[in-house]
Amino acid sequence: MQEIVQGVPLQHYIWLSAILFSIGVMGVLYRRNAIIIFMCVELMLNAVNLMLVAFSRYHSGTTGSSAQVFVFFIMAVAAAEVAVGLAILMMVYRNTKSTDIDFLNRLKF
Amino acid sequence: MLTQYAFYFLSILAIFSALMVVFSRNPVHSVLYLVVTFFSIAGHYFLMNSQFLAMVHIIVYAGAIMVLFLYVIMMLNLNTDTEPNKSNWVKGAAVVTGGLMMLILVVSTKSADQLPIQKALNPNIGLISNLGKVLYNEYMLPFEVSSILFLVSMVGAVMLGKKETY
């Protein structure tokens, strides 16, 4: 049922979110700078948010606002995560003078 | 028709700037491209009639989180492209993994448009007055718990950022 709401089919929103999420995954694997990896994680969170809002726009039930509240909570958790993560990164930089993740492989052993 | 053009313009802008986040050498440029991505995603929220989320998205992401990133990059003096490259094998593996991930996501959500489309009864559901009622009636407990989360993260950030004196 390829009905069109407001001109754009839902499948295009799914493609856009999938592409953004995959770019985030690719960036996490591609770069070595921990800050860029962090930014790619933010990109993945945003792709998921976009998908949630798109589904709530097209398949909302009687109320239709739960997904937007969920996105609001995801934004709150992302803000808290960024604060703690950047504090950890500052600590790592203070101890090793680098944000290269290949120097941080001491946790492996 | 106008919304279609706006959708495709914003999508191309978002994908291009997301790719530039990954591929640009200077971390400051990455942050600025990520701000462009966030603005285009906020434009998508406006197109989907959720105005409150769009405003919160701009304020929280472009206003708070990206400024925090820029602040850390400039404080650590990382705004030069001194990052050594990964080997070409790892880069190729990363690109292939991203492509496979996209393929899996697209194929596994292929049947999503077979569901009957159910638009919301209230078209103004994305406004702050309606969302506020939902937030304070049905989601009261998670809202309060998120304030505890913020308190914990603030204490954690201060503790981590403190100089070790012992």
Side-chain angles (χ1 to χ4, degrees):
Chain A
M1 174 170 184
Q2 192 70 21
E3 193 183 331
I4 288 175
V5 180
Q6 55 151 8
V8 182
L10 174 63
Q11 198 72 44
H12 292 188
Y13 279 109
I14 294 174
W15 288 341
L16 175 64
S17 310
I19 288 171
L20 285 180
F21 191 90
S22 317
I23 290 173
V25 170
M26 188 184 75
V28 167
L29 299 172
Y30 192 91
R31 296 296 295 257
R32 286 173 66 176
N33 192 344
I35 293 180
I36 310 273
I37 288 174
F38 218 0
M39 288 180 349
C40 291
V41 172
E42 294 298 314
L43 199 60
M44 285 193 265
L45 282 170
N46 273 285
V48 173
N49 279 352
L50 187 64
M51 186 96 112
L52 270 175
V53 176
F55 272 121
S56 93
R57 174 82 181 125
Y58 285 76
H59 295 302
S60 60
T62 53
T63 62
S65 58
S66 294
Q68 305 199 8
V69 177
F70 270 53
V71 170
F72 183 67
F73 283 128
I74 291 175
M75 282 181 192
V77 172
E81 170 232 338
V82 163
V84 175
L86 284 179
I88 292 174
L89 234 142
M90 293 278 306
M91 261 257 311
V92 166
Y93 185 79
R94 199 180 290 153
N95 287 329
T96 64
K97 297 292 170 212
S98 164
T99 56
D100 192 342
I101 53 161
D102 285 0
F103 287 148
L104 304 177
N105 54 5
R106 272 173 284 171
L107 283 178
K108 275 201 305 196
F109 301 107
Chain B
M1 206 54 178
L2 193 63
T3 54
Q4 269 179 311
Y5 287 138
F7 172 81
Y8 293 118
F9 172 71
L10 287 173
S11 305
I12 289 169
L13 187 66
I15 292 170
F16 169 74
S17 49
L19 281 174
M20 289 306 288
V21 169
V22 177
F23 291 120
S24 67
R25 303 284 307 164
N26 194 334
V28 177
H29 293 172
S30 290
V31 171
L32 296 179
Y33 278 117
L34 197 55
V35 171
V36 174
T37 311
F38 286 160
F39 269 103
S40 54
I41 288 175
H44 279 298
Y45 288 161
F46 270 120
L47 282 186
M48 283 188 281
N49 226 354
S50 47
Q51 293 90 350
F52 171 67
L53 272 188
M55 297 317 292
V56 167
H57 190 267
I58 289 176
I59 290 170
V60 170
Y61 277 103
I65 293 183
M66 285 301 109
V67 171
L68 204 61
F69 271 108
L70 265 185
Y71 181 76
V72 168
I73 285 174
M74 294 191 171
M75 194 154 84
L76 300 186
N77 204 8
L78 288 178
N79 49 358
T80 52
D81 45 354
T82 56
E83 177 187 353
N85 275 324
K86 279 190 170 175
S87 65
N88 283 332
W89 274 104
V90 178
K91 283 184 175 176
V95 173
V96 169
T97 308
L100 286 178
M101 186 89 203
M102 187 180 72
L103 202 66
I104 288 170
L105 284 175
V106 167
V107 171
S108 64
T109 53
K110 208 157 110 54
S111 61
D113 60 345
Q114 314 246 325
L115 296 167
I117 288 182
Q118 254 187 326
K119 291 180 76 173
L121 297 179
N122 184 2
N124 294 326
I125 202 69
L127 296 180
I128 179 66
S129 58
N130 296 316
L131 272 185
K133 278 176 199 147
V134 177
L135 195 61
Y136 279 102
N137 285 322
E138 297 172 37
Y139 296 97
M140 190 71 200
L141 183 66
F143 187 69
E144 299 296 337
V145 170
S146 72
S147 71
I148 299 176
L149 171 76
F150 275 119
L151 180 69
V152 169
S153 78
M154 191 178 72
V155 172
V158 170
M159 277 298 293
L160 283 171
K162 213 172 57 171
K163 270 211 190 318
E164 297 174 27
T165 52
Y166 43 87

